[in-house]
């Protein structure tokens, strides 16, 4: 069949809206008609060259939709099922899945190639294979994806809202709850309040943090953070450091979470200096893998027993966390509607990313 999609052909280029050929699902795969796709900063990294995928590639890795067909051997899903996609597939039996670290599943090795588990592609253009970002390609009206990338949810949910639970919500929430292991009474500093950081705010607040300090230069981001659980907000790291010292009587934050759009050594150092002895810095934001972006005092690391922890997908389990966050949304504890600043059509994808870079959006969503 044919599908319209936003394709990125190289670093520094805009997304191009084209018509692609889409193969039917093979064994273990499903055909999905997307209802919505979130505009996440990770796809902007591809455009700017911070992360270089196999080009050309269909963008988008935050998606939700309805299953239209299933391939041979698929038993968990059927046509008509509503699903939220996980940007990381979960095989369930590799070394990492079998030891409770399914966010590190070996099947995720090819997410930047956009190839499906059998090593072949489903998107094509004039005989050329085109990958899908994170094996999903949610910037397409339809896609064929692995059943290991789709989590069934109830039919009555608004897919244009719960789409955020495919990436931004669990990544930010889990960074606070799983990776930082926020405890009641903690003081948590969160650097960067975008689609990830705002959910770290929600996660820290729901986990019982006494102080949640949101740090972002943009007033609209700080205001959003305070509406969704931050007890304090600051425009600069220096202002935050002084406030944290006051709040903790000179001890320091228990944990700091780095969720800025592009991580550099300055923000990691600021976070490292803000935490107490025995404290943890969680680095969730991304940067160029070829650059060194963490430079800290080894003596302080040793003498104060501080810790730096990376976090992917919030260090959680997609097939456990996505349904749990759906229930938190139903109960009103987890806010989703309030995160969506603007909706776009597929043709407006480049405008959506301009708005993201300009700091206008907490989260933009493409609605099909």
């Amino acid at each position: 069949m044919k599908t319209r999609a936003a394709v990125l052909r190289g670093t520094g280029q805009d997304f191009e809206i084209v018509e692609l050929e889409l193969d039917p699902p093979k064994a273990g795969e499903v055909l999905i008609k997307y209802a919505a796709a979130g505009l996440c900063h990770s796809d902007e990294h591809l455009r700017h060259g911070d992360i270089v995928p196999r080009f050309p590639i269909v963008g988008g890795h935050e998606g939700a939709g309805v299953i239209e067909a299933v391939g041979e051997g698929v038993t968990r899903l059927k046509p008509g099922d509503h699903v939220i996609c996980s940007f990381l597939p979960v095989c369930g039996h590799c070394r990492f899945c079998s030891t409770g670290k399914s966010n590190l599943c070996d099947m995720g090795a090819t997410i930047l190639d956009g190839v499906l588990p059998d090593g072949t592609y489903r998107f094509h253009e004039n005989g050329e294979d085109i990958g899908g970002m994170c094996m999903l390609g949610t910037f397409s009206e339809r896609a064929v994806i692995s059943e290991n990338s789709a989590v069934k949810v109830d039919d009555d949910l608004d897919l244009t809202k719960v789409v955020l639970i495919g990436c931004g919500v669990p990544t930010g929430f889990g960074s606070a709850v799983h990776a930082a292991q926020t405890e009641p009474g903690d003081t948590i500093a969160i650097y960067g309040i975008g689609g990830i950081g705002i959910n770290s705010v929600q996660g820290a607040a729901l986990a019982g943090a006494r102080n949640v300090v949101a740090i972002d230069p943009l007033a609209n981001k700080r205001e959003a953070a305070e509406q969704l659980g931050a007890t304090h907000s600051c425009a600069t790291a220096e202002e935050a450091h002084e406030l944290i010292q006051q709040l903790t009587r000179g001890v320091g934050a228990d944990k700091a979470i780095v969720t800025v759009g592009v991580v550099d050594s300055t923000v990691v150092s600021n976070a490292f200096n803000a935490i107490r002895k025995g404290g943890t810095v969680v680095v969730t934001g991304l940067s160029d893998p070829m650059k060194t972006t963490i430079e800290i005092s080894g003596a302080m690391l040793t003498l104060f027993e501080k810790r730096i922890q990376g976090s992917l997908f919030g260090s959680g389990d997609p097939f456990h966390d996505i349904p749990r966050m759906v229930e938190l949304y139903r109960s009103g504890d987890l806010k989703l509607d309030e995160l969506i600043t603007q909706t776009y059509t597929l043709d407006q994808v480049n405008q959506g990313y301009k708005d993201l870079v300009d700091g206008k959006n907490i989260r933009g969503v493409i609605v099909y």
Side-chain angles (χ1 to χ4, degrees):
M1 67 170 57
K2 304 282 189 179
T3 182
R4 293 180 74 247
V7 173
L8 192 61
R9 301 193 186 278
T11 299
Q13 300 184 26
D14 284 341
F15 284 102
E16 180 183 343
I17 308 301
V18 299
E19 188 174 72
L20 301 178
E21 304 233 352
L22 180 63
D23 293 338
K26 296 183 180 179
E29 299 170 0
V30 297
L31 171 67
I32 182 172
K33 180 180 181 181
Y34 288 120
L39 299 178
C40 180
H41 204 122
S42 295
D43 291 281
E44 183 66 14
H45 284 301
L46 307 187
R47 292 203 322 136
H48 279 197
D50 294 320
I51 298 173
V52 180
R54 173 195 177 275
F55 292 117
I57 191 167
V58 176
H61 63 280
E62 188 174 76
V66 180
I67 302 301
E68 291 192 323
V70 301
E72 180 184 353
V74 174
T75 57
R76 289 191 301 101
L77 298 169
K78 65 183 185 304
D81 282 350
H82 290 213
V83 300
I84 297 173
C85 297
S86 166
F87 78 87
L88 291 172
V90 176
C91 76
H93 55 75
C94 70
R95 173 179 179 177
F96 298 96
C97 286
S98 65
T99 53
K101 300 182 185 300
S102 62
N103 63 309
L104 300 178
C105 176
D106 284 339
M107 194 176 281
T110 59
I111 59 175
L112 291 179
D113 291 333
V115 66
L116 286 172
D118 72 350
T120 62
Y121 298 85
R122 300 294 167 268
F123 292 117
H124 310 282
E125 183 184 37
N126 299 322
E128 180 181 18
D129 292 333
I130 297 181
M133 175 62 167
C134 291
M135 301 164 60
L136 295 174
T138 65
F139 295 168
S140 174
E141 295 168 334
R142 287 176 169 84
V144 169
I145 65 175
S146 169
E147 67 170 328
N148 296 322
S149 299
V151 180
K152 186 181 182 308
V153 296
D154 293 334
D155 294 351
D156 65 323
L157 291 165
D158 185 343
L159 294 177
T160 67
K161 303 295 193 301
V162 298
V163 61
L164 303 185
I165 301 180
C167 172
V169 173
T171 297
F173 187 96
S175 294
V177 175
H178 300 312
Q181 298 181 347
T182 300
E183 298 179 348
D186 275 352
T187 293
I188 309 294
I190 300 167
Y191 295 78
I193 307 300
I196 306 300
I198 194 69
N199 290 297
S200 292
V201 168
Q202 292 204 78
L206 283 170
R210 178 168 56 92
N211 298 307
V212 180
V213 181
I215 305 134
D216 197 287
L218 298 178
N220 63 316
K221 303 290 185 74
R222 299 195 301 273
E223 180 182 349
E226 292 188 0
Q227 291 173 350
L228 294 179
T231 56
H232 306 79
S233 66
C234 299
T236 67
E238 292 74 21
E239 181 186 344
H241 187 96
E242 182 177 343
L243 173 63
I244 289 166
Q245 289 294 302
Q246 294 172 0
L247 293 172
T248 63
R249 301 184 181 184
V251 174
D254 297 286
K255 289 100 180 189
I257 305 170
V258 177
T259 53
V260 294
V262 180
V263 174
D264 59 25
S265 59
T266 299
V267 68
V268 177
S269 295
N270 287 333
F272 185 78
N273 293 333
I275 60 173
R276 60 167 169 78
K277 293 184 285 187
T280 299
V281 174
V282 174
V283 180
T284 301
L286 294 172
S287 59
D288 186 339
M290 304 307 293
K291 294 181 180 178
T292 298
T293 53
I294 297 178
E295 298 176 12
I296 58 170
S297 165
M300 292 301 99
L301 184 73
T302 299
L303 296 174
F304 288 173
E305 285 197 357
K306 296 187 179 185
R307 186 167 174 261
I308 295 181
Q309 167 74 50
S311 181
L312 178 65
F313 202 94
S315 303
D317 175 353
F319 278 79
H320 171 71
D321 286 354
I322 288 175
R324 182 172 65 155
M325 290 176 191
V326 165
E327 293 308 311
L328 285 171
Y329 173 59
R330 283 192 182 280
S331 68
D333 295 297
L334 182 68
K335 308 300 183 184
L336 298 181
D337 303 39
E338 294 83 351
L339 304 182
I340 301 173
T341 315
Q342 180 72 30
T343 60
Y344 304 88
T345 66
L346 179 63
D347 294 290
Q348 295 173 315
V349 61
N350 291 308
Q351 180 62 49
Y353 274 108
K354 183 179 186 303
D355 291 344
L356 182 151
V357 172
D358 290 343
K360 296 179 180 179
N361 290 347
I362 297 295
R363 200 53 142 197
V365 172
I366 291 173
V367 176
Y368 290 102

